[in-house]
């Protein structure tokens, strides 16, 4: 590289070449002890060399990328990533081991150490899936898969996600049988010396708080490095815990090959430049001990250089191969293919039985009396009645029916077992013994579901540690590994996701575009302005929508499948269908749900059991069910989420409410153009269109939805905004002020109605006079009915117009 492409930033391994020995020995030792898969996350430093020399990445493909080409085939829709984030799975063969070992080299975003929890989640899920296939009664977590994670010295000491990952590594629902962490300690962070990057003596000292043993080894002695690897694997297999190898090395060049390191470390680099390279030192040792000859060493070097030269020549014409998909992912469609939405409704008898099972427990479990009174008995009553189904029940029905169909479900987050708002109770804790019982893991087959309970999936209820970035990274790893496990992460409040923004940006919403790696992670983010103050009211819907690649210019005929689905459902039935839809499709996309808070117990925000029955599905747009005569509607309000119920209540009490339609936009990305156009076109006489939201104007869905809605409106129609003005904080922390703002914004939504309706009356009177003057018949004294209060001159402005007529240059 230094000879052929000296100006390419490759973050070379020179000075840390023993890393190849360390990784090779770890994989070999693991294979000797029965490991069949390795999940490894690499750092920027040395990735090119490790991929080429150890993980058998085709050298011509690497050189094509180094020349500025793509790592994907020429006709690929994927946009790729930086050189230092490349990955491709490998299968390694060792002559004295019969079974080859598969190495899953992780794609990772550039945010330092963010790949650590991803590898943990991926390796645990991979290990569990292998164990399920083997059905080994003596299985222990970590029997099949070894996780290896590489780190830089400064980032291992400095990045908070490391502390988060290490602290949760030993927790029952996050344990992967132990990760072997390797710190490539070149004693400098970019240009900053160790004395300024940490207060501890060793870069690895952060691991001490989690009682993780640390092996320090000098990287200039490859055989000692191999010995450290043997010790680490033996410890991991014996105790199934994390262990750290702190390999002391140096960095021959700057942070990258363009940097001049002596600007800031002149003495260090004076010493380094006078030093022989590690391979040269080891070669001298082998020759002097008689283990190889100088000619043999030169022959090895010559063969390697020849292979590189051949690859350099062929790289200009090579077309990379598509990354190999794991077996489960091969059953799904690739990005850009036609999406298939399968039915999500379920037989009502099955729904009823799952609902009953969700609150049934063993005789040995003594539940809290209040749970029995306020959770179990009300749920059974609602199921019996077939109406009043609340959000927690709908969620249990979605999860339970998926389990019956063989899908696994993992619900993770802080306090998710009970639920932040004491609404879920997915697990019962015995009041005498504190034994935890998860009812949905004890469902039995019935006459409506003849399948054996042995074929049911597993429901993993995970009360996580009090962190977000590492946990969300872990759940992304679960979802990226297994498309048939529904991985759900729920924030305690919607804004808690802020601490995981780097995982959302770098992995969840962009992983497929960059790496061809789909994921179906669900993020439940409680949202709503109900007195939670500026930090617990908003899940920042606007941020998620900014991350969506939903095309602003898409038309009604397009079949738009964006990188992320963003929803704000208003009914439990809608939530039920969303969860089931995630794994019933022929593709996977992440789903962001602005979840309920006050709606959890709002009597009007409930559903019928039949709304989850056969033939039902998620509806991206919900029309106003109270409109009896669409011709009467003069104002159409569009809204998402819980604000609908406040507006609906005002409408029901307003004397002119019959002239208003409140349309709910339940799905924001992809924006439901067809569905919304179909609903809006019903209101032929509407002249006033309003987007209503409780978030400030510079937040919420308005800035995303408005330009898309305007393309759907009749020519010359405008979209008005009703909501809070721009605000620096999410909302006010003063309860009285927030309440006053709510009254004001809902009032603005209904302002001016009298003027709109007065136009109708005047137009109707004028039309009546016109009829009198042109007719010789006697004038009837009968009062016109409300159904005739429609302007006779009104035309259906929708049916005669082409799509997006308001913006068409031909109009």
């Amino acid at each position: 590289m230094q000879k052929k492409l000296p100006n390419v930033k490759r973050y070379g391994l020179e000075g840390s070449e023993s890393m190849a020995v360390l990784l090779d020995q770890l994989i070999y030792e693991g294979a000797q002890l029965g490991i069949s898969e390795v999940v490894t996350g690499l750092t920027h430093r040395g990735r090119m060399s490790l991929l080429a020399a150890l993980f058998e990445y085709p050298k011509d493909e690497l050189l094509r990328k180094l020349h500025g080409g793509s790592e994907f085939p020429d006709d690929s829709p994927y946009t790729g990533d930086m050189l230092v984030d490349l990955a491709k799975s490998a299968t390694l063969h060792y002559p004295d081991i019969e079974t080859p070992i598969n190495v899953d080299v992780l794609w990772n975003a550039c945010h330092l150490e963010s790949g650590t929890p991803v590898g943990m989640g991926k390796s645990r899920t991979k290990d569990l899936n292998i164990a399920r296939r083997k059905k080994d009664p003596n299985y222990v977590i970590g029997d099949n898969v070894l996780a290896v994670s590489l780190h830089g010295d400064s980032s291992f000491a400095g990045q908070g996600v490391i502390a988060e990952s290490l602290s949760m590594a030993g927790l029952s629902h996050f344990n992967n049988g132990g990760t072997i962490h390797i710190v490539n300690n070149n004693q400098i962070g970019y240009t900053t010396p160790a004395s300024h990057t940490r207060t501890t003596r060793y870069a690895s000292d952060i691991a001490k708080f989690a009682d993780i043993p640390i092996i320090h080894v000098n990287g200039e002695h490859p055989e000692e490095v191999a010995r450290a690897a043997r010790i680490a694997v033996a410890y991991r297999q014996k105790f199934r815990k994390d262990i750290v190898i702190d390999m002391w090395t140096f960095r021959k060049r700057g942070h990258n090959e363009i940097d001049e390191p002596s600007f800031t470390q002149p003495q260090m680099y004076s010493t380094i430049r006078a030093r022989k390279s590690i391979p040269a030192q080891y070669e001298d040792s082998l020759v002097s001990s008689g283990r190889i000859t100088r000619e043999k060493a030169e022959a090895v070097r010559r063969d390697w250089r020849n292979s590189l030269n051949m690859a350099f020549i062929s790289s200009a014409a090579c077309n990379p191969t598509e990354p190999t998909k794991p077996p489960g992912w091969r059953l799904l469609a690739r990005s850009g293919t036609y999406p298939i939405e399968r039915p999500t409704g379920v037989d009502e008898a099955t729904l009823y039985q799952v609902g009953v099972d969700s609150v049934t427990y063993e005789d040995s479990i003594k539940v809290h009396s209040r749970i029995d009174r306020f959770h179990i008995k009300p749920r059974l009553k609602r199921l019996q009645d077939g109406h009043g189904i609340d959000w927690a029940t709908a969620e249990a029905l979605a999860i339970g029916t998926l389990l019956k169909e063989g899908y696994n479900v993992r619900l993770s987050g802080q306090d998710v077992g009970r639920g932040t708002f004491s609404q879920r109770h997915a697990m019962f804790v015995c009041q005498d013994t504190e034994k935890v019982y998860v009812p949905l893991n004890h469902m039995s087959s019935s006459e409506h579901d003849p399948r054996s309970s042995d074929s049911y999936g597993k429901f993993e209820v995970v009360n996580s540690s009090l962190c977000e970035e590492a946990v969300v990274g872990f759940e992304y790893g679960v979802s990226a590994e297994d498309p048939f496990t529904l991985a759900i992460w729920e924030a305690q409040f919607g804004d808690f996701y802020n601490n995981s923004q780097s995982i959302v940006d770098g992995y969840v919403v962009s992983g497929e575009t960059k790496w061809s790696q789909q994921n179906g992670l669900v993020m439940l983010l409680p949202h709503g302005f109900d007195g939670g103050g500026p930090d617990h009211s908003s899940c920042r819907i606007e941020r998620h929508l900014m991350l969506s690649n939903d095309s602003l210019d898409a038309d009604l005929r397009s079949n738009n499948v964006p990188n992320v689905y963003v929803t704000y459902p208003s009914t439990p039935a809608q939530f039920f269908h969303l969860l089931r839809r995630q794994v019933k499709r022929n593709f996977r996309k992440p789903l962001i749900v602005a979840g309920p808070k006050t709606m959890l117990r709002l009597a009007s925000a409930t559903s019928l059991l039949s709304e989850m029955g056969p033939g039902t599905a998620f509806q991206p747009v919900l029309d106003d069910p109270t409109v009896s005569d669409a011709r009467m509607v003069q104002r159409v309000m569009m809204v998402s989420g819980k604000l609908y119920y406040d507006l609906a209540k005002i409408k029901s009490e307003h004397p002119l409410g019959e002239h208003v339609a409140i349309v709910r936009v339940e799905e924001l990305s992809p924006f439901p153009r067809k569905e919304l156009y179909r609903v809006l076109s019903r209101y032929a006489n509407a002249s006033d269109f309003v987007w209503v939201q409780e978030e400030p104007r510079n937040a919420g869905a308005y800035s995303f939805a408005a330009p898309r809605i305007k393309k759907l409106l009749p020519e010359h129609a405008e979209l008005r905004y009703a909501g809070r003005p721009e605000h620096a904080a999410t909302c006010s922390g003063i309860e009285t002020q927030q309440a006053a703002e709510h009254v004001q914004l809902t009032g603005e939504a209904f302002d001016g109605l009298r003027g709109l309706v007065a136009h109708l009356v005047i137009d109707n009177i004028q039309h009546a006079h016109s009829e009198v003057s042109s007719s010789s018949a006697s004038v009837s004294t009968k009062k016109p009915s409300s159904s005739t209060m429609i302007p006779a001159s009104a035309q259906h402005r929708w049916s005669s117009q082409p799509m997006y007529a308001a913006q068409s240059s031909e109009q």
Side-chain angles (χ1 to χ4, degrees):
M1 284 297 300
Q2 193 63 21
K3 182 178 179 181
K4 296 285 189 180
L5 299 167
N7 294 321
V8 174
K9 298 178 182 179
R10 66 180 185 275
Y11 303 88
L13 198 61
E14 296 146 291
S16 304
E17 291 93 341
S18 293
M19 182 62 70
V21 175
L22 181 51
L23 283 173
D24 186 49
Q25 192 72 33
L26 287 173
I27 295 168
Y28 174 78
E29 294 294 327
Q32 291 273 36
L33 297 174
I35 294 294
S36 60
E37 304 262 354
V38 172
V39 174
T40 182
L42 304 179
T43 57
H44 293 172
R45 178 73 50 211
R47 182 177 288 249
M48 298 290 102
S49 295
L50 294 172
L51 288 175
L54 181 59
F55 296 126
E56 300 177 351
Y57 198 116
K59 292 188 283 294
D60 55 348
E61 294 184 17
L62 270 180
L63 287 160
R64 167 187 157 116
K65 180 68 176 178
L66 288 160
H67 276 108
S70 172
E71 61 269 41
F72 293 103
D74 292 334
D75 60 349
S76 172
Y78 310 116
T79 58
D81 207 337
M82 293 176 62
L83 286 169
V84 291
D85 292 330
L86 283 182
K88 184 171 279 192
S89 297
T91 300
L92 303 185
H93 300 81
Y94 293 95
D96 56 339
I97 300 175
E98 183 176 341
T99 306
I101 187 163
N102 298 314
V103 182
D104 189 351
V105 182
L106 299 179
W107 293 95
N108 66 275
C110 270
H111 292 284
L112 294 175
E113 307 295 353
S114 61
T116 301
V118 175
M120 292 168 62
K122 217 169 187 295
S123 59
R124 173 182 167 87
T125 306
K126 193 186 291 285
D127 194 75
L128 289 171
N129 286 343
I130 294 173
R132 290 186 183 107
R133 292 195 297 271
K134 288 184 174 180
K135 297 182 179 179
D136 181 1
N138 300 315
Y139 165 74
V140 178
I141 187 74
D143 272 356
N144 309 295
V145 180
L146 171 65
V148 179
S149 186
L150 272 63
H151 313 272
D153 53 324
S154 294
S155 59
F156 192 75
Q159 290 291 324
V161 70
I162 290 297
E164 292 181 8
S165 300
L166 297 180
S167 70
M168 73 183 190
L171 302 179
S172 59
H173 293 285
F174 295 95
N175 182 14
N176 63 353
T179 298
I180 297 178
H181 300 274
I182 303 171
V183 178
N184 188 5
N185 188 352
N186 53 37
Q187 306 172 63
I188 189 171
Y190 207 146
T191 65
T192 305
S195 59
H196 285 65
T197 61
R198 63 179 187 269
T199 57
T200 58
R201 179 172 184 179
Y202 295 106
S204 54
D205 280 348
I206 185 68
K208 290 180 178 178
F209 88 92
D211 291 333
I212 296 172
I214 301 165
I215 302 170
H216 301 282
V217 63
N218 188 340
E220 287 193 298
H221 297 274
E223 293 183 6
E224 292 301 306
V225 169
R227 182 175 170 222
R230 291 193 289 273
I231 295 170
V233 173
Y235 175 88
R236 188 266 187 186
Q237 292 302 100
K238 173 70 174 177
F239 300 105
R240 302 300 164 99
K241 292 182 178 180
D242 285 20
I243 185 169
V244 175
I245 299 174
D246 179 22
M247 188 178 79
W248 285 62
T249 64
F250 59 88
R251 191 186 68 194
K252 182 177 179 180
R253 306 182 193 280
H255 181 63
N256 60 63
E257 287 64 35
I258 312 301
D259 277 346
E260 175 47 68
S262 62
F263 287 167
T264 49
Q265 278 78 37
Q267 292 183 351
M268 172 186 275
Y269 274 86
S270 176
T271 302
I272 288 173
R273 284 164 179 161
R275 209 172 190 85
K276 262 193 173 183
S277 74
I278 293 173
Q281 290 181 48
Y282 189 55
E283 179 183 332
D284 290 345
S285 171
L286 292 175
V287 171
S288 63
S289 64
R291 284 187 278 178
I292 67 168
T293 64
R294 190 72 69 182
E295 291 74 21
K296 174 64 175 176
E298 183 55 41
V300 170
R301 211 170 7 254
R302 184 172 57 251
D303 289 346
W304 181 249
R305 283 175 180 159
N306 287 340
S307 72
L308 290 174
N309 285 327
M310 293 298 294
F312 189 84
I313 294 168
S314 63
S315 64
C318 89
N319 189 20
T321 56
E322 193 81 52
T324 303
K325 298 289 185 186
W329 286 102
R330 294 173 200 164
L331 301 174
L332 301 177
R334 63 177 279 180
S335 177
T337 55
Y338 192 80
I340 298 175
E341 300 281 1
R342 297 185 178 92
T344 53
V346 178
D347 177 75
E348 287 187 48
T350 300
L351 290 172
Y352 175 81
Q353 187 57 51
V354 168
V356 172
D357 288 344
S358 71
V359 288
T360 301
Y361 52 92
E362 296 175 349
D363 293 338
S364 61
I365 302 296
K366 180 182 177 182
V367 302
H368 197 286
S369 58
R370 290 174 63 185
I371 293 178
D372 183 60
R373 180 181 177 187
F374 296 110
H375 179 73
I376 297 175
K377 289 178 179 176
R379 177 170 293 184
L380 294 173
K381 175 77 164 55
R382 295 185 192 104
L383 291 166
Q384 187 69 42
D385 295 341
H387 60 78
I389 304 298
D390 62 4
W391 291 79
T393 302
E395 179 187 82
L397 296 180
I399 292 172
T401 52
L402 287 174
L403 295 174
K404 279 181 171 285
E405 294 169 23
Y407 297 98
N408 298 310
V409 180
R410 179 181 164 95
L411 174 62
S412 172
Q414 295 148 19
D415 311 295
V416 296
R418 190 205 73 169
T420 300
F421 309 100
S422 196
Q423 85 285 2
R424 179 174 289 122
H425 299 291
M427 52 182 244
F428 296 152
V429 179
C430 179
Q431 297 300 293
D432 292 334
T433 65
E434 291 199 356
K435 177 184 176 182
V436 173
Y437 186 86
V438 180
L440 286 177
N441 279 332
H442 299 273
M443 294 187 293
S444 57
S445 57
S446 64
E447 58 181 318
H448 306 291
D449 179 29
R451 287 169 295 192
S452 168
S453 58
D454 292 338
S455 67
Y456 293 174
K458 176 77 172 177
F459 183 29
E460 198 172 4
V461 183
V462 184
N463 286 330
S464 75
S465 59
L466 196 63
C467 69
E468 290 81 35
E469 183 179 1
V471 174
V472 173
F474 190 100
E475 304 310 328
Y476 168 81
V478 172
S479 183
E481 172 61 30
D482 185 3
F484 302 107
T485 290
L486 178 61
I488 305 171
W489 179 75
E490 181 180 66
Q492 199 169 73
F493 290 91
D495 62 288
F496 278 33
Y497 102 93
N498 288 342
N499 291 338
S500 65
Q501 188 73 60
S502 62
I503 300 293
V504 175
D505 290 356
Y507 296 86
V508 177
V509 302
S510 62
E512 181 180 8
T513 299
K514 294 187 293 186
W515 312 320
S516 80
Q517 177 61 72
Q518 294 185 25
N519 79 91
L521 179 64
V522 178
M523 298 180 69
L524 302 182
L525 309 178
H527 177 86
F529 287 44
D530 46 19
D535 292 324
H536 284 343
S537 294
S538 175
C539 74
R540 294 291 189 178
I541 293 174
E542 65 278 3
R543 289 184 185 167
H544 301 292
L545 292 174
M546 285 178 67
L547 295 172
S548 169
N549 66 356
D550 179 86
S551 176
L552 179 61
D553 298 321
D555 61 31
L556 296 180
R557 291 171 292 273
S558 66
N559 192 30
N560 189 24
V561 180
N563 61 318
V564 60
Y565 280 65
V566 182
T567 64
Y568 192 1
S570 62
T571 74
Q574 290 279 80
F575 185 45
F576 167 89
H577 290 297
L578 278 174
L579 292 180
R580 285 183 52 80
R581 186 180 73 171
Q582 271 301 95
V583 290
K584 301 297 286 184
R585 294 166 152 170
N586 71 333
F587 62 95
R588 296 291 180 266
K589 296 285 182 177
L591 171 65
I592 311 295
V593 181
K597 292 195 290 183
T598 55
M599 281 195 292
L600 290 169
R601 293 181 175 83
L602 188 65
S604 54
T606 57
S607 297
L608 301 173
L609 197 63
S610 60
E611 292 175 324
M612 295 167 251
T616 60
F618 176 75
Q619 302 300 317
V621 176
L622 292 178
D623 199 358
D624 193 330
T626 66
V627 173
S628 57
D629 187 349
R631 296 173 301 170
M632 294 291 294
V633 172
Q634 285 289 293
R635 173 174 294 170
V636 177
M637 298 179 188
M638 284 158 277
V639 65
S640 285
K642 80 176 188 69
L643 186 60
Y644 163 77
Y645 294 101
D646 297 328
L647 297 173
K649 185 175 186 297
I650 296 172
K651 175 188 170 178
S652 67
E653 299 169 352
H654 199 289
L656 300 176
E658 63 181 338
H659 300 288
V660 174
I662 306 175
V663 177
R664 283 169 279 179
V665 181
E666 302 275 289
E667 187 167 71
L668 295 159
S669 172
F671 196 75
R673 294 164 176 81
K674 297 175 188 175
E675 295 84 356
L676 185 56
Y677 182 86
R678 191 178 300 120
V679 171
L680 292 178
S681 63
R682 285 188 60 221
Y683 303 111
N685 300 313
S687 59
D688 192 28
F689 300 89
V690 190
W691 177 268
V692 192
Q693 66 177 36
E694 59 182 354
E695 300 87 0
R697 188 167 185 155
N698 59 326
Y702 175 70
S703 60
F704 181 86
R708 290 164 172 79
I709 293 173
K710 289 175 182 177
K711 288 176 175 284
L712 303 175
L713 297 181
E715 193 172 7
H716 306 306
E718 296 292 333
L719 178 69
R720 295 194 298 110
Y721 169 81
R724 288 178 169 86
E726 292 80 356
H727 201 263
T730 301
C731 66
S732 170
I734 303 169
E735 191 172 343
T736 53
Q737 180 179 340
Q738 191 174 88
E741 289 172 350
H742 187 79
V743 171
Q744 181 178 348
L745 76 88
T746 52
E748 287 176 358
F750 287 88
D751 281 352
L753 258 183
R754 202 172 295 277
L756 287 174
V757 176
H759 166 72
L760 285 180
V761 175
I762 293 170
D763 204 347
N764 190 72
I765 293 172
Q766 290 175 343
H767 178 61
H769 282 306
S770 174
E771 284 188 338
V772 168
S773 62
S774 62
S775 174
S776 58
S778 59
V779 178
S780 171
T781 58
K782 181 180 178 181
K783 290 185 178 180
S785 66
S786 61
S787 63
T788 65
M789 299 286 287
I790 305 296
S793 58
Q795 298 178 355
H796 199 299
R797 296 169 295 156
W798 303 83
S799 59
S800 60
Q801 302 240 2
M803 296 174 185
Y804 308 132
Q807 278 70 38
S808 173
S809 61
E810 299 176 1
Q811 294 299 310

